[in-house]
Amino acid sequence: MTHKAAVLGASGYAGGQLVRLLDGHPSIDVVYLGAHSWAGQSLGSAHPQLGGGDRIMGPIDVNMMPEADMAFLALPHGESWKIGSALVERGVKVVDLGSDFRLDSDDRYVEAYGQHHPLADDLSSWVYGLPELFGPSISAAGRVAAPGCYPTSALLALAPLVHEGIVEIDGIVVDAISGVSGAGRKVSADLTFGAVAEGVRAYGVFNHRHRPEIEAGLEAFVGAPASIVFTPHLAPMQAGLLSTCYGDLAGAAGDVEAVLKDFYVDARFVDVIGQPPQTRWVVGSNRALLSAHADERTGKVIVLSAIDNLGKGAAGQAVQCANLMLGEPEDAGLTSAGWLP
Amino acid sequence: MTHKAAVLGASGYAGGQLVRLLDGHPSIDVVYLGAHSWAGQSLGSAHPQLGGGDRIMGPIDVNMMPEADMAFLALPHGESWKIGSALVERGVKVVDLGSDFRLDSDDRYVEAYGQHHPLADDLSSWVYGLPELFGPSISAAGRVAAPGCYPTSALLALAPLVHEGIVEIDGIVVDAISGVSGAGRKVSADLTFGAVAEGVRAYGVFNHRHRPEIEAGLEAFVGAPASIVFTPHLAPMQAGLLSTCYGDLAGAAGDVEAVLKDFYVDARFVDVIGQPPQTRWVVGSNRALLSAHADERTGKVIVLSAIDNLGKGAAGQAVQCANLMLGEPEDAGLTSAGWLP
Amino acid sequence: MTHKAAVLGASGYAGGQLVRLLDGHPSIDVVYLGAHSWAGQSLGSAHPQLGGGDRIMGPIDVNMMPEADMAFLALPHGESWKIGSALVERGVKVVDLGSDFRLDSDDRYVEAYGQHHPLADDLSSWVYGLPELFGPSISAAGRVAAPGCYPTSALLALAPLVHEGIVEIDGIVVDAISGVSGAGRKVSADLTFGAVAEGVRAYGVFNHRHRPEIEAGLEAFVGAPASIVFTPHLAPMQAGLLSTCYGDLAGAAGDVEAVLKDFYVDARFVDVIGQPPQTRWVVGSNRALLSAHADERTGKVIVLSAIDNLGKGAAGQAVQCANLMLGEPEDAGLTSAGWLP
Amino acid sequence: MTHKAAVLGASGYAGGQLVRLLDGHPSIDVVYLGAHSWAGQSLGSAHPQLGGGDRIMGPIDVNMMPEADMAFLALPHGESWKIGSALVERGVKVVDLGSDFRLDSDDRYVEAYGQHHPLADDLSSWVYGLPELFGPSISAAGRVAAPGCYPTSALLALAPLVHEGIVEIDGIVVDAISGVSGAGRKVSADLTFGAVAEGVRAYGVFNHRHRPEIEAGLEAFVGAPASIVFTPHLAPMQAGLLSTCYGDLAGAAGDVEAVLKDFYVDARFVDVIGQPPQTRWVVGSNRALLSAHADERTGKVIVLSAIDNLGKGAAGQAVQCANLMLGEPEDAGLTSAGWLP
């Protein structure tokens, strides 16, 4: 059976990757491409790298869309809530790649964004779309908020070990490095080639909006509140995200790698490997690569977690969620082969 | 019907891309992976970015291989001839991605490599595998030599216009820029990150081994001898190749773009566009993007030609040739969607 | 004796490099920094990489400036003419790094910029600031237009050989590759890291504004009109520029390298070397590296020319001109040591 | 007064930067260049980017060297001790950029390198060359071991705050990102452009050899033993190093920035700034840029510390030490202006 899908926000980086993945999906047909400022223009004008570039993008308006079974929202923050509910009311299943519905409470939303959520009561009706942690809920859901890229990498690394009581929930530090596409297709002075190449920088120190999301995800999976320190960095590369996650050993070091391997034994897209993963190995794929390291001397555990921020951290994960929601094989249209040589 | 394929030289860049493409091919199964120094090791040790990394690479030895319908050779120069004929004798169709059998005569081979071909009499039995120019011959062939990356981009740009009498065959200059993967997985001082990043350089001035190949290809398609000037450059990027091809107008400028568009009207993987193509738009795909520009003032034509050196310039083109040889759709297992955001 | 200098346009890339060089100059003191939109802000806000960042930039207004012996204009195209003459009238020597006064005639200006020059009669009173070709005129000048980066590299490569009758003035092709800083500190969608990294592109095919400038410079040095083909390319690097210059041999190949070496025997900043120069070797310096190659088979000469587009192609050359105008040693405040490791 | 200096290990990255700095030093003359495998070759063959490239490098042999006041050793690990003492015996002051004499005890050496120090008794006679922390000792020393790049950045960030009792000495995490030149001029498969570009990776998790050095430096400055966690990462850039240092607040947050600013008020090359420093801002200079951030919620302090690993992290710092040892101004021959545009 073929499902009809709309991609709203097709002109951005995540939108482009969605179209690329869905064009190769065996059981999903893209029936509509929506965009804001690019509406009326061809897909190829926004994404010269894609085939089928003569498809015209329409407006982001439920009344202009053909019938669809599934909608992917790849919109700027603060735009999804305006259309998400209307889609759900029409019986369209929705995966939102944006950040509007990722947090579990208005309090947390205020902490992250400094204002109240416009539809605070709806927050609880969205499922957090990290399949390896919340798979059954996603399969049963009609509306899913796909996680941010940093939370995806951090939660895959930490949630199992904290849940198993191997790593303390207090004192966690997540130090992460991302490629530039994580900032989306923004045109600003600090994202020019001249400002990015040959340099690294930290940003959002102590107050990045993904920090409350990591805490919410950890709390949801573990059942206890968490206060973490999160420091994102920007590195001069297109894509890829590496989180170096530090935690305190709850007891003896034991074999943290074995615990992590055991947890992900059936996970199609998560592999625990015996060496520090490189982001190069996952870019272009939907795979997450983890490695776990414990140190008796300092009582610390380090889990390294590498993903493609546009793949497992955005478009790939959204397709993975949609597969679950639609009853398709979890890996339909997805690959575990990275692109880099 | 599913065809069985062997990839010999699986540990290199082109070999890795071949495995990636063939793993996603709907009607080709990879039944054997062969390597020289990596024999006995897992695919994942050479290509951590690929899925199915636990497959073990065996030796490059026809007697150790299971039965196969097709063999892809992705070996260093001077290695293919040692095994190519043995494969053909066993009834295996062969696509050689290397340079052993690309030239049409021993004279040309001497010009390119400074020594006689070890199997000079065999040269004429290999078909030059550029489907857009020599498609019917490839479909009928049992052994195909896939072109080099530079010749692919240059011949797609120039052959039609020279053939149509729009560009003079004399006085052609091909100035090309390639990403680093074009040099293969070589470890040398001049290919370290420290030696490549933040710099461009020309190399092989007047005497690169791809120059005779471009001349041979042009001569084969046009029917007249050619003497071209070819200057390759290295740029700090992983993949992608842009050829800026200069030729003299044979008559009035006319609409060179229209002639080129017309020539490629049915070509699945070649698009003639109205602006200078960027290599970013083709990397990860099997597509070639061309643009044509004529200048009455100087009497010159410029054709720009962008490909992925590992895609249309190597592994993608090899799969395209194999599809023709096996009677499969020309685009089976291939994509025209680039990977970059 | 110490000279007082103003830098107008201090907030841009060339302006920043000028300040860096002049801060280390033994006999020039920077007494004023002027800027347009950055006026009122500190140097450090525009250039965090510079020392002395608490200096405040003032407006670009001759009435607001302290007395100065020399002014450097590093302004966007179309701004220098507004202030250049006023400075000259006050007895200030001027080096303009912009393009307002580089061309020798209004006709050429129209060809390059599509409109008449606002002060066409003044064009002839500016000296073209390429010291290796026009040194004595620069030493005697009060107003100098420093060449563009592409013309600098191309003219250093070609002018001596054409002048000596070794290369024909007709049929010249200049194919050049530049780093991104050549476009200045512009914020635009096609100059973001995401749009530049991992790709190369040609632009301004047949009609880049530097083409008439190369022709004007060649004509001024050789005494005969030139029609050249010029194709600039953008590569993913911060700085550096390589021109690959093609010309027809006027006679036998002879020793073009020896002729070029002989011409530059006394040039402090031009070296003719026996291998293709890499841009990495000159970035950070005021040096130009050339190599010359002749080919009897095709009758072509190739001269490769590498400079730092912000050094010898902009700020370094401007300081070199100023040294000549002020009677200081030609290399005062300049280095021939590149920065890259 | 002019001092005569020898650079031993002139062919490597640090050696090349030393020559570049010393060639511009107002009171140091380079009288000898020594190298191992490059001995007998010209400086320009190893460093085409340097001026004066026709200087020939000699062997690393005290008996072959002319008389010198100062020797800089930029040798691979395990080579300095063979020549360091012989130089000192001849009355030559020595700055060793290598790691042979950085640690204060054989125990620590065993921890870092897995074997006993060949001259363990000599360890205490070398002064640790971080001028901002140990300036007076350096001024009085005849032999100085310049710190590693990671320890330099981490100690500048942490030592003052731990010393002042603001940050706990226990529980420190140093998470650092370096450009590729930190690995030196090594030719290996994991340092090719193809293996480095478009990726980040951690390495030496829990056991990098710089970890004991950071602990030794902290202990020397603070007077109490330290056990830190240190994770270095590699990013696709030539140079630059950013340390993100995490520590526990000892009391209330207070104004950690003010304390740090106060400590460095007279430091010529360390600036505490109000925003996260970027490595781009220091590359090419001898400057360290710090920013300090405290968080009451989690009780953590973060200090960010950016240096040029080849500048303040190697050659620049060595020259700074030499200036102190020779009684020259601390900043002679050094710059606080970064090179990047």
Side-chain angles (χ1 to χ4, degrees), chain B residues 258-282:
Chain B
V259 172
L260 213 50
K261 273 190 168 162
D262 194 52
F263 184 84
Y264 288 117
V265 67
D266 293 325
R268 174 73 183 76
F269 289 113
V270 181
D271 287 316
V272 182
I273 61 176
Q275 60 180 315
Q278 302 189 13
T279 58
R280 293 176 45 81
W281 300 344
V282 295

Side-chain angles (χ1 to χ4, degrees), chain B residues 111 171-177 190 193-206 211 215 226-231 233 235-242 244 246 276-280 283 293-295 297-298 300-302 304 340-341, chain C residues 111 171-177 190 193-206 211 215 226-231 233 235-242 244 246 276-280 283 293-295 297-298 300-302 304 340-341:
Chain B
E111 196 181 346
I172 289 172
V173 169
V174 176
D175 190 287
I177 310 172
D190 61 342
F193 186 87
V196 170
E198 288 294 306
V200 293
R201 67 181 90 149
Y203 61 102
V205 179
F206 283 126
R211 194 257 300 156
E215 292 173 350
S227 290
I228 68 144
V229 171
F230 169 56
T231 317
H233 298 77
M237 56 189 191
Q238 300 255 351
L241 192 163
L242 179 69
T244 302
Y246 300 86
Q278 302 189 13
T279 58
R280 293 176 45 81
V283 167
H293 314 259
D295 184 51
R297 195 183 76 109
T298 54
K300 288 281 184 186
V301 170
I302 292 177
L304 297 162
L340 288 168
Chain C
E111 196 182 346
I172 289 172
V173 170
V174 175
D175 191 286
I177 311 172
D190 61 342
F193 185 87
V196 170
E198 288 295 305
V200 293
R201 67 181 90 149
Y203 61 103
V205 179
F206 283 126
R211 195 257 298 156
E215 292 173 350
S227 290
I228 69 143
V229 171
F230 169 55
T231 317
H233 297 77
M237 55 190 192
Q238 301 255 351
L241 192 163
L242 179 70
T244 303
Y246 300 86
Q278 302 189 14
T279 59
R280 292 177 45 83
V283 168
H293 314 259
D295 184 50
R297 193 183 76 109
T298 54
K300 289 280 183 187
V301 170
I302 292 177
L304 297 162
L340 287 168

Side-chain angles (χ1 to χ4, degrees), chain A residues 89-254:
Chain A
E89 275 162 29
R90 290 182 182 222
V92 183
K93 298 187 177 198
V94 178
V95 176
D96 181 14
L97 285 77
S99 51
D100 285 16
F101 295 107
R102 289 178 190 158
L103 299 177
D104 55 345
S105 72
D106 191 44
D107 283 357
R108 196 112 54 188
Y109 191 88
V110 170
E111 197 183 344
Y113 298 103
Q115 56 182 74
H116 288 284
H117 195 284
L119 293 174
D121 292 348
D122 274 20
L123 284 174
S124 61
S125 62
W126 290 77
V127 170
Y128 192 63
L130 191 45
E132 288 77 11
L133 301 186
F134 306 103
S137 306
I138 297 166
S139 296
R143 52 185 101 175
V144 166
C149 49
Y150 288 119
T152 295
S153 71
L155 290 169
L156 290 175
L158 292 166
L161 295 177
V162 176
H163 186 265
E164 298 299 315
I166 289 169
V167 168
E168 303 276 9
I169 197 164
D170 292 325
I172 288 171
V173 170
V174 175
D175 190 287
I177 310 170
S178 174
V180 181
S181 57
R185 200 174 182 150
K186 205 162 45 186
V187 178
S188 64
D190 61 343
L191 294 179
T192 59
F193 186 87
V196 169
E198 287 296 304
V200 294
R201 68 181 89 150
Y203 62 102
V205 179
F206 283 126
N207 57 25
H208 190 277
R209 67 190 188 283
H210 278 178
R211 196 257 298 155
E213 184 184 334
I214 301 173
E215 292 173 350
L218 207 50
E219 187 171 330
F221 190 73
V222 173
S227 289
I228 69 143
V229 171
F230 169 56
T231 317
H233 298 77
L234 188 71
M237 55 189 191
Q238 301 256 350
L241 191 163
L242 179 69
S243 287
T244 303
C245 305
Y246 300 87
D248 290 310
L249 275 169

Side-chain angles (χ1 to χ4, degrees), chain C:
Chain C
M1 177 191 163
T2 298
H3 313 278
K4 296 177 189 163
V7 175
L8 303 181
S11 62
Y13 281 165
Q17 295 296 320
L18 269 174
V19 174
R20 184 175 69 85
L21 292 175
L22 295 175
D23 280 348
H25 196 290
S27 56
I28 295 183
D29 275 356
V30 176
V31 296
Y32 190 73
L33 301 173
H36 278 126
S37 57
W38 290 83
Q41 299 190 57
S42 70
L43 181 69
S45 62
H47 297 294
Q49 83 281 9
L50 294 182
D54 48 358
R55 286 173 280 181
I56 303 298
M57 293 180 280
I60 297 187
D61 180 338
V62 287
N63 299 311
M64 302 291 285
M65 286 171 46
E67 207 178 311
D69 306 301
M70 169 69 66
F72 295 90
L73 309 185
L75 302 168
H77 174 68
E79 295 293 330
S80 299
W81 69 269
K82 298 178 186 170
I83 194 169
S85 304
L87 287 162
V88 171
E89 275 163 28
R90 290 181 180 223
V92 183
K93 297 188 176 196
V94 178
V95 176
D96 181 13
L97 286 77
S99 49
D100 285 16
F101 295 107
R102 289 178 190 156
L103 299 177
D104 55 344
S105 71
D106 191 45
D107 282 357
R108 197 109 55 184
Y109 191 88
V110 170
E111 196 182 346
Y113 298 102
Q115 55 183 71
H116 288 284
H117 195 284
L119 293 175
D121 291 347
D122 274 19
L123 283 175
S124 60
S125 62
W126 290 77
V127 170
Y128 192 63
L130 192 42
E132 289 77 12
L133 301 186
F134 306 103
S137 307
I138 297 167
S139 296
R143 52 185 100 176
V144 165
C149 48
Y150 288 120
T152 294
S153 71
L155 290 170
L156 289 176
L158 291 166
L161 295 178
V162 176
H163 185 266
E164 298 300 314
I166 289 169
V167 168
E168 303 276 7
I169 198 164
D170 292 325
I172 289 172
V173 170
V174 175
D175 191 286
I177 311 172
S178 173
V180 181
S181 57
R185 201 174 182 150
K186 205 162 45 184
V187 178
S188 64
D190 61 342
L191 293 179
T192 59
F193 185 87
V196 170
E198 288 295 305
V200 293
R201 67 181 90 149
Y203 61 103
V205 179
F206 283 126
N207 56 26
H208 191 276
R209 66 190 187 284
H210 278 179
R211 195 257 298 156
E213 184 184 335
I214 301 173
E215 292 173 350
L218 207 51
E219 186 171 331
F221 191 74
V222 173
S227 290
I228 69 143
V229 171
F230 169 55
T231 317
H233 297 77
L234 188 71
M237 55 190 192
Q238 301 255 351
L241 192 163
L242 179 70
S243 287
T244 303
C245 306
Y246 300 86
D248 290 310
L249 275 169
D255 193 347
V256 293
E257 180 181 312
V259 172
L260 213 51
K261 273 191 169 161
D262 194 52
F263 184 85
Y264 289 117
V265 67
D266 294 324
R268 173 74 183 77
F269 289 114
V270 180
D271 287 316
V272 182
I273 61 176
Q275 60 180 314
Q278 302 189 14
T279 59
R280 292 177 45 83
W281 301 343
V282 294
V283 168
S285 82
N286 195 49
R287 213 158 41 145
L289 290 178
L290 306 178
S291 72
H293 314 259
D295 184 50
E296 295 280 4
R297 193 183 76 109
T298 54
K300 289 280 183 187
V301 170
I302 292 177
V303 186
L304 297 162
S305 173
I307 61 169
D308 180 351
N309 55 300
L310 290 174
K312 182 65 179 168
Q317 185 143 272
V319 171
Q320 189 180 355
C321 287
N323 286 337
L324 294 179
M325 295 163 78
L326 295 168
E328 298 294 334
E330 188 173 358
D331 61 355
L334 297 171
T335 179
S336 54
W339 170 89
L340 287 168

Side-chain angles (χ1 to χ4, degrees), chain A residues 268-271 281-289 331 333-339, chain B residues 20 23 47-53:
Chain A
R268 175 72 183 77
F269 289 114
V270 181
D271 287 316
W281 300 344
V282 295
V283 167
S285 82
N286 195 50
R287 214 160 39 145
L289 289 178
D331 61 355
L334 297 171
T335 179
S336 54
W339 171 87
Chain B
R20 184 175 68 85
D23 279 348
H47 297 294
Q49 83 280 11
L50 293 181

